Amino acid sequence: MLDLSTLNPQQRQAAETIRGPVLILAGAGTGKTRVITFRIAHMVRHGIPPGHILGVTFTNKAAREMQERVTKLLPKRKIVEGQKPDRPTICTFHSLCVKILRQHIEKLGYKKNFVIYDESEQLAAIKKILSAISVKGEKVDPGAVLGLLSKFKNGGENAKAFVDPNLRAMAQHVAKRYESALHACNAVDFDDLILLTLRLFREHPDALAACRDKYRYVMVDEYQDTNAAQFELVHSLTQEHRNFCVVGDDDQSIYGWRGAEIANLLNLEEHYPEVKIVKLEQNYRSTSTILNAANAIIKNNARRRGKTLWSGKGAGAKIQLNTYASDEDEAREVVNQIEFKRLAHRIPWQDCAILFRTNQQARPLETALRTANVRYHLIGGQSFFDRREVKDFLAYLKTFINPHDDISLLRIANVPARGLSDVTMERLLGASHERKSSVFTAMKNPLVTTTFQKNTRECIEAFVAYVEVEQQQLQTTDNSFRLQAWAEHFLNETGYFTELKRLEKNPENAESRIRNLRELTATMDGVGNAPTERLENFLENLTLDSDREEEKENTQDAVTLITMHSCKGLEFPHVFVVGLEDGLLPHTRSKVEGTLDEERRLFYVAVTRAMQTLAISHCGGRKKYGQVLPCHPSPFLKELPEELVDHSDAKSKTPVAQESGKNLFAAMRSAIS
């Protein structure tokens, strides 16, 4: 139940201020999720219909957690048969836009059953375009082009700074063809979800009015991470009713490189002069020593909203500052310290995290952890959804829903082999380009198919017939139709399971791949009544919910290895920040691009992940391309107050007290026995 007396005075003020524009300036570890959920529940208690409340987050994990917490706080309502319970909408920006576009996208010339391309499908589309327009011998990285297109869409003109002019020209050349290719397939990408919603609002005021009428109270979490398009979206929704609450911390704005605009938070008064600002400064995560160090670091950024974090947890241990000869020494010693904590103090691996600036720093750390037989979890490893069998299965589903989705159709047309060779598919693709149609339309066109030999023509016709039969099955109005059974049947019937066994030399690997697909099919009969509705929701959730798998895999006792950019929002009892060297943090690029403040914020975010102990280290030399290159300490280290730091060299000369030594050996003997 809702009890506002459990909040501190500032949290309570934030929860009770429910009308007009509000900025909740929530420092690291100050309980912002608790405040947001209490605020939503407080709104409902004061008579605001739940259906008029919108909460927007950046990750599905955050949205799920918030939805679960709000549900627990709200009074249980009687469910009327045939009616969906009225509850707040809590979702990501992308999910919000999908909800809006599913209702209104036909106004923009798309069909309601549009598909959402993930990164691999976007890359496939870019590769197709580049193969048609590139000069022979010219090599263009499709990933770089795609990254630039995304930056242009999200950051506008600001994103074009510091970009190679040739690459920029190529990206601009590809942009229109890319948009046309996606539209022809009735497909959109992640960036389009927001941009098409904005276009809808601009061109169709009735759609905007309907959304404003529905979402009369809007909250946005992590507001400092919003980009220009996201800002325009929430501004469009809220500029009339002005019941707009943003929660964020400018000191944790670390995504400028992907279009985030810190100015959205810093300049909020320009758009909402009457905004009420509530600061949350009491930290429930870290010791005073860690917070005092964080405050000392971040105050060196001139352009920020002032706040000072404090804690009632006591001073705690000093910050350990260690210097090592090389990155290999650093990795080995950090692992030794983790093992010492485990054996001497019974601290499990899962309480420890190693934070680094770039992915390349993970290699020596992984090597040291493996050598010591320490289990670890590298955040950002291969995703479940990047596995071949999962991509194939999803491509089948997308083809059955929308056979004009060229990328999905081309992926599975000959998987398993059915007489549609690469040469055949290339000819069909060429014919579709000539006729400005989809590949599937070309496959159904007698003027195209009669140009093929009899055997190939029969294979094309058989594939078209197969897709249409599966489509017809999905069109059934029988709500008892089970997608799981249907999917298992077509995977068997096409011989896909047999193909996995044939391609994998190791039978265990083949069984693992088949198990992956069976686990996936078991989740297909979720939200929705009609089979097509359930299937669309299933695909939509998978495409938008990229963080669920990482969450699932990181359940066993293991050390977390994670970049500083990925660690925001997380906390660990014992944190090791490695590689605090000039050129890594701050990164060499930051001096050229003038983003030193953002690098300092990144250091601040890393420091504030620690709950109990924090160790920071740097090296005298780091291996690059097989050669050890000299390194220099990060200038940020000078910003740490001397009285809060223990230097490893000084500490190594201090003898351990006899009683401490006895206690440590007793603990280690106990752990071993």
Side-chain angles (χ1 to χ4, degrees), residues 500-547:
L500 285 179
K501 289 175 184 174
R502 187 183 68 79
L503 291 173
E504 283 288 352
K505 291 175 185 173
N506 184 331
E508 283 182 19
N509 288 352
E511 282 308 315
S512 172
R513 290 185 183 279
I514 291 168
R515 193 165 55 248
N516 285 339
L517 290 178
R518 291 207 158 117
E519 281 178 12
L520 206 49
T521 60
T523 65
M524 292 177 74
D525 291 291
V527 182
N529 295 317
T532 45
E533 187 187 352
R534 272 181 276 141
L535 186 53
E536 281 172 0
N537 285 329
F538 170 75
L539 286 170
E540 198 171 283
N541 290 335
L542 285 190
T543 309
L544 295 175
D545 197 356
S546 55
D547 53 318

Side-chain angles (χ1 to χ4, degrees), residues 335 338 354 364-374 376 559 561:
V335 173
I338 288 170
I354 307 173
L365 293 163
E366 287 194 79
T367 303
L369 288 160
R370 285 169 185 265
T371 303
N373 289 318
V374 174
Y376 67 92
V559 174
L561 271 107

Side-chain angles (χ1 to χ4, degrees), residues 151 158 161-162 253-260 262 301 357 565 584-603 636:
K151 273 190 176 181
N158 293 346
F162 312 110
S253 178
I254 57 173
Y255 299 123
W257 48 278
R258 68 181 187 202
I262 191 173
N301 275 2
R357 174 65 175 82
H565 278 107
L584 274 178
L585 191 76
H587 199 278
T588 311
R589 270 198 318 270
S590 67
K591 293 166 188 175
V592 179
E593 298 176 1
T595 53
L596 197 64
D597 279 10
E598 183 158 322
E599 294 291 296
R600 187 178 281 109
R601 292 195 291 269
L602 194 54
F603 185 30
F636 293 157

Side-chain angles (χ1 to χ4, degrees), residues 16 42 70 90 106 218 316 352 357 429 480 485 506 534 569-570 586 604 607 619 634 671:
E16 289 180 334
H42 185 67
V70 168
I90 301 173
E106 286 173 316
V218 177
C352 300
R357 174 65 175 82
L429 184 60
S480 65
N506 184 331
R534 272 181 276 141
L570 303 177
Y604 172 84
V607 167
C619 304
S634 166

Side-chain angles (χ1 to χ4, degrees), residues 82-115:
Q83 283 185 18
K84 285 185 179 177
D86 191 24
R87 62 179 196 172
T89 301
I90 301 173
C91 60
T92 63
F93 276 103
H94 292 109
S95 297
L96 170 65
C97 291
V98 170
K99 288 178 197 293
I100 293 169
L101 292 172
R102 288 278 177 224
Q103 285 184 289
H104 301 286
I105 200 166
E106 286 173 316
K107 292 180 168 80
L108 300 177
Y110 290 79
K111 294 174 189 167
K112 280 190 178 179
N113 69 337
F114 64 87
V115 292

